Each structure stands twice: as structure tokens, then as C-alpha cells.
């Protein structure tokens, strides 16, 4: 689906992106919802597998979530830690409303040596 069609369906401009966790409208005129879901999950799985082939977790640091922080902001500040990996280490968190003071586990990513 062209990006412009996705933006139009969701009343967004090129400069906007939907909030993390927001529902996004999709066009299933060329592929079924089931096919889309299968392909999306397969694609995400392949990205994760490739990441884990190239990296390992050296350690896990624990700290408390600060006021105003989100998992996305923590992921962006943590070198090399993608959001999906941070989510995997913090399944106890409500992703839509993380609370300050909640204990957060941050994996330290280390590149594998070839």
C-alpha cells in the first residue's frame, strides 16, 4: 500500500505519525487481514532473528522509570536497544501508561564478533 494511501486513511500528513500503540486504519482491498497479519509477523520475526544473530545481550541494567519517560524514549536513549527488545524485557509494563517509579530492565546490547 502506498504511504500516501495510509496517511489519507488515518487523516495524517507526511510530518505526522500515529502515537505509539494507536489503532491505524489499513486498506485490505488487495490482501486479506489474515494474510497481512501473517506477513507482518513473519517480517518482524525475521528482523528480530537477524538482530539477534548480529548482537548479544551483555548484561541487564535495572532502573526506575522517570516522570515523562516512555518505553520509546528510553529505547531511543539506550544505545542499540530497539523498542521490541525493551518491550521483551519489560512485559510487566502497561505500554500505554507506564508509571514513574516502575522498575525498568534495560538490556545492554553488544555486537557479536565475526
Amino acid at each position: 500500500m502506498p504511504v500516501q494511501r495510509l496517511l489519507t486513511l488515518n487523516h495524517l500528513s507526511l510530518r505526522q505519525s500515529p502515537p505509539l500503540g494507536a489503532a491505524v486504519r489499513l486498506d485490505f482491498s488487495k490482501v486479506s487481514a489474515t494474510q497481512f497479519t501473517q506477513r507482518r509477523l513473519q517480517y518482524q520475526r525475521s528482523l528480530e532473528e537477524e538482530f539477534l544473530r548480529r548482537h548479544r545481550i551483555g548484561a541487564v541494567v535495572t532502573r526506575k522509570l522517570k516522570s515523562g519517560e516512555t518505553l520509546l524514549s528510553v529505547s531511543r536513549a539506550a544505545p542499540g536497544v530497539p523498542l521490541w527488545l525493551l518491550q521483551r524485557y519489560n512485559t510487566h509494563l502497561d505500554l500505554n501508561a507506564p508509571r514513574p517509579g516502575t522498575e525498568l530492565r534495560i538490556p545492554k546490547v553488544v555486537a557479536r564478533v565475526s
Side-chain angles (χ1 to χ4, degrees):
M1 173 186 311
V3 172
Q4 188 57 52
R5 175 74 178 132
L6 207 55
L7 293 170
T8 302
L9 280 172
N10 291 282
H11 309 287
L12 297 169
S13 74
L14 279 172
R15 289 178 233 179
Q16 294 174 299
S17 59
L20 187 64
V24 176
R25 291 183 182 175
L26 301 173
D27 179 356
F28 293 113
S29 61
K30 296 186 180 183
V31 65
S32 73
T34 301
Q35 288 172 318
F36 171 81
T37 300
Q38 289 172 342
R39 289 179 188 172
R40 183 182 65 81
L41 291 174
Q42 182 180 18
Y43 174 72
Q44 292 296 337
R45 200 172 304 122
S46 71
L47 291 178
E48 291 176 15
E49 288 170 357
E50 180 61 25
F51 180 88
L52 293 171
R53 269 194 295 278
R54 293 181 175 189
H55 304 87
R56 66 179 177 78
I57 306 305
V60 179
V61 176
T62 303
R63 73 163 176 85
K64 297 200 183 284
L65 195 61
K66 298 173 187 169
S67 181
E69 281 187 316
T70 64
L71 242 49
L72 183 58
S73 67
V74 172
S75 171
R76 287 179 175 166
V81 180
L83 182 59
W84 64 264
L85 185 61
L86 194 57
Q87 288 173 319
R88 189 175 286 177
Y89 275 80
N90 293 282
T91 56
H92 61 286
L93 279 181
D94 176 3
L95 300 178
N96 296 321
R99 294 201 165 117
T102 302
E103 199 163 276
L104 190 64
R105 300 179 70 219
I106 305 171
K108 297 291 183 179
V109 175
V110 179
R112 291 188 187 270
V113 178
S114 301

